[in-house]
Amino acid sequence: MGRQCSSSVKQQKLRKGLWSPEEDEKLFDHISKFGVGCWSSVPKLAGLQRCGKSCRLRWINYLRPDLKRGMFSQEEEDLILNLHEALGNRWAQIASQLPGRTDNEIKNFWNSSLKKKLQKQGIDPNTHKPVEIQVKMEQDYSEKQAYDPIFMSEFQESIDFNTPSSYRPYDPGCGFNSMPNLTNFDHHTNYSDSSGAYLMKESSSNSSNPRMDSKTDMTNAFSLESIFEFQFDGADERSYALASLSQELSEAFQ
DNA sequence: AACTGTACCAACCGCAGTCGT
DNA sequence: AACGACTGCGGTTGGTACAGT
């Protein structure tokens, strides 16, 4: 479906797979001389049998002079964990906070290393919550759902699964309620002041459109400052809220 | 030495958003 | 408004290296 390496390069035999040193050199020379412009014209101008998309990727992930190569430091690892908890699989957003690292690199590091590390520690890598609490919450929730149709209808009303955002606010103190979509939140919303309100993050696997538009929603409306304000100031309250929710649901069911 | 399983990573693919016409 | 070209993003795949048997 996608317009894979389409357009200007008309059915020319395009190379795929690993880049040779010669190709790298050609691309590097071209970008060094003319800078990053229109990627679709780069292959022709640089004398490469590649599509523009491939050139772009090669430049961004490998040739860019400002890339930091090598192992991730403990600080970087911690930052990735924190950012992933706040942002989910928005690798480009995460990468923008780690100078010299690419989204692809971070994604690979996450999938090959960090994810497993968390799992070993009994933490769900999607939610960053301990697995026991997660399981308990799911059990409680499905039991409550099965036995209490009013609870279910209130819950469904409170959450519009068609909204583009994969983050939905939840206030455990008042039950499920309708809070404004995050994209409408004030730039400086302080989550630690909102009665323990925290974000309930949908797992990307059951979202019909896991890609919230990061450019419009996250960048513009949900600044990094507010994320970190939430991340650090609200962390304890969120854990507390999680435990409260679990307890609340258990009690409600009993 | 040969085979198999696993981890890692570069690159590809498909989709969605943006921009120009 | 509609369309096509282009760009950027996240998920996935395929190749390679390495460890274990």
Side-chain angles (χ1 to χ4, degrees):
Chain A
M1 274 279 264
R3 273 174 264 113
Q4 202 51 39
C5 301
S6 59
S7 75
S8 54
V9 193
K10 296 220 170 182
Q11 296 303 331
Q12 245 182 342
K13 270 205 171 175
L14 295 177
R15 269 178 56 84
K16 279 189 180 181
L18 296 180
W19 282 64
S20 67
E22 292 75 28
E23 288 179 305
D24 280 343
E25 199 183 334
K26 282 182 181 177
L27 181 60
F28 186 84
D29 285 348
H30 176 79
I31 303 288
S32 301
K33 278 183 198 161
F34 305 105
V36 175
C38 177
W39 284 112
S40 58
S41 61
V42 165
K44 197 179 173 186
L45 297 171
L48 291 161
Q49 307 278 308
R50 298 270 180 176
C51 65
K53 199 170 181 174
S54 182
C55 293
R56 176 185 160 269
L57 210 64
R58 186 62 178 172
W59 175 258
I60 290 173
N61 287 337
Y62 191 80
L63 294 174
R64 251 170 52 198
D66 60 327
L67 285 180
K68 188 195 284 181
R69 309 207 67 87
M71 302 273 284
F72 283 84
S73 68
Q74 188 57 50
E75 288 73 26
E76 285 176 314
E77 189 178 317
D78 294 342
L79 185 55
I80 293 168
L81 284 169
N82 285 325
L83 287 166
H84 186 272
E85 187 175 5
L87 297 167
N89 293 358
R90 293 189 182 84
W91 305 116
Q93 292 267 322
I94 294 171
S96 68
Q97 304 308 315
L98 285 102
R101 300 294 188 182
T102 70
D103 55 349
N104 207 34
E105 196 177 9
I106 293 168
K107 181 172 56 183
N108 283 333
F109 179 52
W110 175 264
N111 286 326
S112 62
S113 174
L114 283 183
K115 206 163 142 181
K116 285 164 196 164
K117 210 180 229 182
L118 286 181
Q119 280 165 340
K120 266 188 187 172
Q121 293 169 2
I123 295 168
D124 183 332
N126 292 317
T127 60
H128 292 257
K129 295 176 178 69
V131 174
E132 311 87 68
I133 294 180
Q134 184 77 16
V135 169
K136 174 82 174 122
M137 279 178 70
E138 280 166 14
Q139 279 175 352
D140 287 344
Y141 170 71
S142 59
E143 285 167 357
K144 180 111 178 84
Q145 175 187 345
Y147 286 91
D148 188 349
I150 296 170
F151 169 86
M152 194 48 199
S153 63
E154 281 175 1
F155 170 68
Q156 281 171 337
E157 275 173 25
S158 73
I159 293 180
D160 174 17
F161 281 94
N162 293 320
T163 60
S165 171
S166 63
Y167 283 84
R168 297 196 173 78
Y170 171 69
D171 181 352
C174 313
F176 292 100
N177 63 354
S178 303
M179 288 178 72
N181 187 302
L182 258 185
T183 56
N184 298 327
F185 272 20
D186 181 86
H187 194 73
H188 296 293
T189 300
N190 185 341
Y191 290 91
S192 62
D193 287 334
S194 52
S195 310
Y198 69 102
L199 304 173
M200 189 171 68
K201 186 176 160 298
E202 222 181 287
S203 120
S204 62
S205 57
N206 42 7
S207 165
S208 58
N209 180 9
R211 282 187 58 205
M212 181 172 102
D213 181 12
S214 51
K215 275 170 271 182
T216 53
D217 289 345
M218 295 302 291
T219 311
N220 298 341
F222 194 34
S223 73
L224 198 71
E225 300 146 57
S226 60
I227 291 169
F228 275 107
E229 208 166 1
F230 157 69
Q231 179 72 26
F232 297 122
D233 293 345
D236 288 344
E237 288 194 46
R238 192 171 36 155
S239 303
Y240 172 72
L242 191 65
S244 303
L245 170 64
S246 181
Q247 195 182 348
E248 189 188 339
L249 289 174
S250 305
E251 285 168 1
F253 178 65
Q254 285 163 2

